[in-house]
Amino acid sequence: MREWKVEKGRFIGKSDLVSNRKVCVLGYSVYQDLFRGVDPIGRKLVVNGRNFQIVGVMEKKGLLFNINQDDYIFVPITTARNFSTPPRLI
């Protein structure tokens, strides 16, 4: 649908999902804001108090309906699930 492409490094792979790895892929704006001029691949990024290893950077996408598509950080869904506490039913 959006045809996301990786500019540097790689995207999240099956082994990352299966192993619940703490890896992330940065949107282009996040990369520019945090690592301007420095290769972020292999570096650590703290997200919500947890360390993630940066494995990739997405290509610049720009705005879509006034939403900056470059402001995202992608993590494996299996890893994200481990950090979430389901709501308690009362």
Side-chain angles (χ1 to χ4, degrees):
M1 180 166 93
R2 294 183 183 166
E3 296 197 25
W4 295 86
K5 294 181 182 171
V6 176
E7 182 170 301
K8 296 178 184 226
R10 66 176 179 85
F11 198 70
I12 296 162
K14 184 176 181 177
S15 63
D16 298 320
L17 294 166
V18 171
S19 301
N20 297 320
R21 289 193 182 121
K22 289 195 246 179
V23 297
C24 67
V25 179
L26 307 179
Y28 193 80
S29 291
V30 177
Y31 158 65
Q32 286 292 308
D33 289 346
L34 298 178
F35 296 97
R36 185 177 307 254
V38 176
D39 185 4
I41 306 302
R43 294 182 177 262
K44 300 290 182 190
L45 180 69
V46 178
V47 179
N48 288 338
R50 293 178 169 82
N51 289 318
F52 283 80
Q53 181 179 22
I54 301 167
V55 296
V57 176
M58 302 302 289
E59 74 175 357
K60 187 174 183 175
K61 295 293 284 184
L63 294 176
L64 177 67
F65 303 114
N66 292 327
I67 297 172
N68 188 346
Q69 299 179 88
D70 301 320
D71 282 346
Y72 295 110
I73 298 173
F74 300 90
V75 300
I77 187 68
T78 51
T79 304
R81 284 184 190 151
N82 289 335
F83 297 156
S84 299
T85 305
R88 292 175 29 164
L89 299 174
I90 299 176

